[in-house]
Amino acid sequence: MKQNLKVLICDDSILIRKKLRSVLEKCKIEEIIEAENGVIAVELAKEHNPDLIFMDIVMPDKDGIEALKDIKAFNSETKVVMASSAGTSDHLKEALANGAFDFIQKPISLESVTLLIEKVLKEESANV
Amino acid sequence: MFSQYFGHYLLNRGLITREQLADALEYQKTVHVKFGVIAVDEGFMTTAQVEEVHEKQRQMDKRFGEIAVELGYLTESQVEALISHQKQSHLYLAQALVDREYMTIDEFGAALNEYKKENSLSDEQFEAIRNGNIDALVQQLLVSDEEKAAKYGRYLSLFAKNMIRFIDDQVYLEVSEDNNITPSNWLIKQDIIGAAPLFTGISTDDQTLLYIASIYAEEELTQVDAFAKDAVSEFLNLHNGIYLVNMSNWGTELNMNPQQIIENASISGELFTVNVVTAKGTFQLVLSDDTTNIKIESAAGTQTV
């Protein structure tokens, strides 16, 4: 079973990136990359090919849904989890319709991230 | 939270001074509410009866409730009710004010009745407010203006809850009559767009910004740097996101733009402004549903939202 996931955090908030990084470190994730908007996230996703991406929705330059579409277009296997405070039914529907792996509601808790990592690891091992 | 409101009511009526209120609010954290204060507050006993029980307590090793029941002033079920009411926050304020000799129990009771009468509160409404029902409290805050209550009531009620949940459980809100926001150090704004557009902003000085940022970021921040500003901005974003989810559940789908931080900004337009008083300073929550007519002026120039 693959243990070391490569994770990309995309959020325009410095605080959220810091908090999410700390939660991921507690989950023993060693390789963490950060992006502050959708444009940079797409570039970094192409460059590093992460296993999992945490993607905010409301961001300047390129929002999370647009970035999700771009990332899925060049690698449909990448798991993108939308992480937003605005988990409205429209956002959920749009995210899932565009291939999002999951959706977590902010504020982000250690518990929700841990469950998600377990889910990703299970899927990764099933695909090996 | 009610103790903050009632404390400010006492302050506005000149019944206590600002210093006394601040002292009592600080002191109430350590206070043990005595049975007699609650019994008078509930209207179960008179002050004279409480004094009589206290007198007897000095002579015998018995609890207040036991003696009051023996004297026929309280029933067993009233004693049980008083025990469960012992944790109501405004009682801590009452006890603090009495302990510090800023007011007597009688004066406090009279002011409480006056508050109820002035605000035309039914017993049920008063109970709800006293028990910390935020919706009832915000409804009361906007009672004189039905139009504003309809426009901003839900938003404000959720904001109060999120302030309590994430920042400061002793927060106090007051509606400001000001239609212009003079420059404060920082304006953090976010536009909600869609069927029910709303301009939302937090206008704050450095000290209050650092207070909110430190609590929200869960670390002591002393510099108004990008991280501190981001923390407050993220709090507004989180709150607005939750508002969008609530509105979505009520059938209105909305969206929001990314937040913006503007230095030394003054705002004009059809504004609804609420002063949000925290333990370490006041900021203004600025709202407007007339989003097309808002003007923001700052050192960087004028912009129309």
Side-chain angles (χ1 to χ4, degrees):
Chain A
M1 188 161 142
K2 190 172 176 178
Q3 286 292 346
N4 287 324
L5 292 177
K6 194 190 289 181
V7 179
L8 169 63
I9 301 169
C10 176
D11 202 303
D12 58 330
S13 163
I14 313 166
L15 174 67
I16 297 295
R17 294 202 300 272
K18 189 177 173 185
K19 281 194 170 175
L20 195 46
R21 173 180 280 276
S22 138
V23 169
L24 288 170
E25 282 168 356
K26 283 188 186 129
C27 293
K28 308 268 184 274
I29 302 289
E30 286 167 8
E31 203 170 342
I32 303 166
I33 313 150
E34 293 183 20
E36 61 187 62
N37 62 46
V39 176
I40 299 172
V42 175
E43 281 170 15
L44 291 178
K46 281 180 182 165
E47 192 184 329
H48 296 277
N49 198 22
D51 303 292
L52 176 64
I53 302 175
F54 285 92
M55 181 76 75
D56 185 20
I57 294 184
V58 180
M59 289 183 293
D61 299 330
K62 186 185 281 257
D63 71 29
I65 300 283
E66 289 306 312
L68 165 72
K69 288 180 193 168
D70 288 356
I71 290 166
K72 281 288 178 182
F74 72 80
N75 187 354
S76 61
E77 296 300 308
T78 311
K79 293 182 173 59
V80 183
V81 173
M82 308 310 285
S84 174
S85 59
T88 64
S89 56
D90 270 11
H91 278 153
L92 280 168
K93 274 185 233 159
E94 206 181 356
L96 295 174
N98 285 291
F101 178 70
D102 211 330
F103 192 107
I104 55 174
Q105 175 81 31
K106 286 181 189 169
I108 292 165
S109 67
L110 174 63
E111 195 189 12
S112 64
V113 175
T114 310
L115 285 173
L116 209 106
I117 300 290
E118 280 171 11
K119 189 174 156 187
V120 173
L121 286 171
K122 205 181 271 179
E123 287 222 358
E124 291 277 328
S125 66
N127 291 336
V128 170
Chain B
M1 193 179 176
F2 177 69
S3 69
Q4 300 292 318
Y5 284 82
F6 192 63
H8 278 82
Y9 171 84
L10 297 175
L11 175 70
N12 293 336
R13 292 291 172 286
L15 295 168
I16 52 173
T17 66
R18 191 168 288 281
E19 291 71 31
Q20 287 173 335
L21 175 62
D23 178 54
L25 287 173
E26 190 54 39
Y27 178 73
Q28 70 168 352
K29 292 174 189 163
T30 61
V31 137
H32 174 69
V33 181
K34 295 193 181 89
F35 235 68
V37 171
I38 325 171
V40 171
D41 180 74
E42 286 294 324
F44 292 164
M45 289 173 74
T46 65
T47 344
Q49 289 170 338
V50 168
E51 271 314 305
E52 191 186 335
V53 175
H54 281 160
E55 193 56 42
K56 292 241 185 268
Q57 263 190 307
R58 277 179 215 118
Q59 299 154 16
M60 56 179 97
D61 183 28
K62 277 189 177 174
R63 289 174 185 276
F64 185 97
E66 278 177 76
I67 301 171
V69 169
E70 278 173 16
L71 291 171
Y73 296 147
L74 292 176
T75 64
E76 292 287 354
S77 62
Q78 282 175 325
V79 172
E80 275 171 35
L82 293 180
I83 292 170
S84 70
H85 287 168
Q86 215 163 3
K87 291 213 161 93
Q88 285 180 1
S89 71
H90 80 286
L91 294 175
Y92 287 88
L93 179 68
Q95 189 66 61
L97 289 167
V98 171
D99 282 1
R100 302 298 252 192
E101 295 182 351
Y102 298 145
M103 291 184 98
T104 65
I105 303 178
D106 269 353
E107 285 167 347
F108 188 87
L112 206 56
N113 279 333
E114 202 54 37
Y115 174 86
K116 200 171 143 183
K117 215 187 295 169
E118 269 184 39
N119 290 291
S120 316
L121 294 174
S122 68
D123 286 344
E124 290 76 20
Q125 285 170 320
F126 185 63
E127 259 322 288
I129 289 175
R130 223 164 56 147
N131 291 331
N133 181 327
I134 310 295
D135 293 329
L137 205 58
V138 169
Q139 214 175 8
Q140 189 53 38
L141 205 65
L142 298 171
V143 77
S144 58
D145 196 331
E146 274 182 34
E147 194 193 334
K148 289 216 163 74
K151 281 181 184 176
Y152 306 117
R154 279 177 171 174
Y155 186 94
L156 195 57
S157 192
L158 181 67
F159 189 80
K161 287 176 195 166
N162 284 331
M163 275 299 292
I164 291 168
R165 182 176 166 200
F166 297 107
I167 311 289
D168 185 342
D169 63 359
Q170 295 293 312
V171 69
Y172 169 73
L173 309 179
E174 62 185 6
V175 175
S176 161
E177 299 303 320
D178 219 343
N179 231 18
N180 287 297
I181 299 296
T182 46
S184 65
N185 300 16
W186 304 101
L187 170 69
I188 292 140
K189 68 177 270 287
Q190 185 164 41
D191 298 318
I192 291 173
I193 50 177
L198 191 66
F199 168 91
T200 72
I202 285 175
S203 175
T204 178
D205 58 19
D206 285 0
Q207 182 198 325
T208 317
L209 184 142
L210 284 173
Y211 173 65
I212 303 168
S214 297
I215 295 176
Y216 194 62
E218 295 172 315
E219 58 186 280
E220 186 63 34
L221 304 175
T222 53
Q223 298 284 327
V224 182
D225 54 13
F227 184 69
K229 285 183 273 181
D230 178 79
V232 178
S233 166
E234 190 49 35
F235 169 65
L236 180 65
N237 183 55
L238 174 80
H239 159 68
N240 281 337
I242 298 172
Y243 176 69
L244 258 58
V245 174
N246 285 1
M247 291 299 281
S248 171
N249 292 339
W250 290 320
T252 306
E253 290 296 333
L254 297 169
N255 251 308
M256 57 193 188
N257 289 334
Q259 317 87 289
Q260 279 178 281
I261 301 167
I262 305 166
E263 194 170 2
N264 294 323
S266 54
I267 322 166
S268 55
E270 277 298 312
L271 307 177
F272 174 62
T273 310
V274 177
N275 294 328
V276 182
V277 184
T278 72
K280 295 275 167 64
T282 300
F283 70 85
Q284 286 165 315
L285 174 70
V286 189
L287 304 174
S288 177
D289 69 336
D290 186 15
T291 53
T292 49
N293 288 314
I294 291 180
K295 246 187 195 169
I296 297 175
E297 286 178 52
S298 70
T302 304
Q303 55 169 297
T304 307
V305 179

